[in-house]
């Protein structure tokens, strides 16, 4: 059930955010946001892109995401995208959106793998999305390449912290299945800011790339390194799929088939995959629309914090949850 008052507030908040951004200030509104964190090439951008159902984010090996991308999804009858840095220009071709993200990244950071904490603000209007803000972030790297500063790891860490320390930020901690969970940058960062795991969801990518004879069953059953809200496994498109222009619909069907046919994951199939992750995020939407948003302004002490959404819903203790109602994210 939506809350009309809340829906009405969104355009106002968007205007406020734009006004602050245009004078180079951050607006300091504690609105619900979802940030993806994890190591480089963990699959963060791939996970986000699946939520929008469109190919528009630069993805690939090496450092691809080099500035934070603040992506506001706005439910609306028509589908188009708009950047804050070229306001008024409507993008209907999502390949052009990707080119613009790449061009705008290079404009500020140079083309030689440099990074910048200055976010790119993008709005996607679509009938298929919920009003949510997603944040795509550079992955943690340890060794500087190209024009990167010597303290690249610290700089990226600070960049991520700037978003995930906010209590209104839901953290998608993305770890690829073909690495050891104990070494997960994502889980380490999430634990630092959310030690109780109230606002962290573990996301395990690349389940299709595990060595033969190994599986992530213990992780996905939430037994190995338990998280309050558990882990959701996903299978995103491989680089070959991207180059072959495999569409998202076909990728989702292949993902479903993967979980249903895999002997180690079959029993978990209904609580795995991108659609299930979308449903889990839909819970955030419910928290958002059932809790009073309060806007925080440093200057006028306008309002206090919005009620902690995390306390409104019982956290999930195991991976075997029942199916929720159909998500309006799904198409
Ligand atoms: N096979 C496979 N490849 C994946 C998966 N997730 C991501 N990739 C590939 O891994 C690379 C990095 O993905 P990207 O989303 O850019 O990672 P990011 O650096 O964390 O944003 C791309 O080539 C993706 O195609 C997955 O679940 N399975
Ligand atoms: Mg990325």
């Amino acid at each position: 059930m939506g809350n009309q008052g809340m829906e009405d507030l969104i355009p106002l908040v968007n205007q406020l955010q734009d006004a602050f951004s245009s004078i180079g200030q951050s607006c300091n509104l504690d609105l619900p946001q979802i940030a993806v964190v994890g190591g480089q090439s963990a699959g963060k951008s791939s996970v986000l892109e699946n939520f929008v159902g469109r190919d528009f984010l630069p993805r690939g090996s090496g450092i691809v995401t080099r500035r934070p991308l603040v992506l506001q999804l706005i439910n609306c009858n028509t589908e188009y995208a708009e950047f804050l840095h070229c306001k008024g220009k409507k993008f209907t071709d999502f390949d052009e959106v990707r080119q613009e993200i790449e061009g705008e990244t290079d404009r500020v950071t140079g083309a030689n793998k440099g990074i910048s904490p200055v976010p790119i603000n993008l709005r996607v209007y679509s009938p298929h999305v919920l009003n949510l803000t997603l944040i795509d972030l550079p992955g943690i790297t340890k060794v500087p390449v190209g024009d990167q500063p010597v303290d690249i790891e610290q700089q990226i860490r600070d960049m991520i912290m700037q978003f995930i320390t906010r209590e209104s930020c839901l953290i998608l901690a993305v770890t690829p299945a073909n690495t050891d969970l104990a070494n997960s940058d994502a889980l380490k960062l999430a634990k630092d800011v959310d030690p109780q795991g109230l606002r962290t969801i573990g996301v395990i990518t690349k389940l299709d790339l595990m060595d033969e004879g190994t599986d992530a069953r213990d992780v996905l059953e939430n037994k190995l390194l338990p998280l309050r809200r558990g882990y959701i496994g996903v299978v995103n498109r491989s680089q070959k799929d991207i180059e072959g222009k495999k569409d998202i619909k076909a990728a989702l069907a292949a993902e479903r088939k993967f979980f249903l046919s895999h002997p180690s994951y079959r029993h978990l199939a209904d609580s795995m995959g991108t659609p299930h992750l979308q449903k889990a995020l839909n819970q955030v939407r419910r928290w958002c629309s059932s809790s009073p948003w309060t806007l925080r302004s440093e200057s006028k002490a306008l309002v206090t914090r919005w009620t902690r959404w995390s306390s409104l819903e019982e956290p999930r203790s195991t991976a075997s949850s029942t199916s929720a109602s159909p998500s309006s994210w799904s198409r």
Side-chain angles (χ1 to χ4, degrees), residues 44-45 58 64-65 136-137:
K44 300 177 298 299
S45 297
V64 178
T65 311
D136 194 17
L137 290 161

Side-chain angles (χ1 to χ4, degrees), residues 224-242:
L224 191 68
L225 261 172
L227 278 180
R228 258 177 103 101
R229 293 184 188 278
Y231 294 82
I232 298 177
V234 297
V235 176
N236 298 313
R237 283 170 296 176
S238 65
Q239 191 61 30
K240 195 165 150 233
D241 293 336
I242 294 169

Side-chain angles (χ1 to χ4, degrees), residues 10 32 39 49 91 188 231 237 263 268 292 297 303 313:
I10 290 165
E49 197 170 61
F91 290 76
K188 171 84 179 61
Y231 294 82
R237 283 170 296 176
L268 299 169
S297 151
V303 201
E313 184 87 6

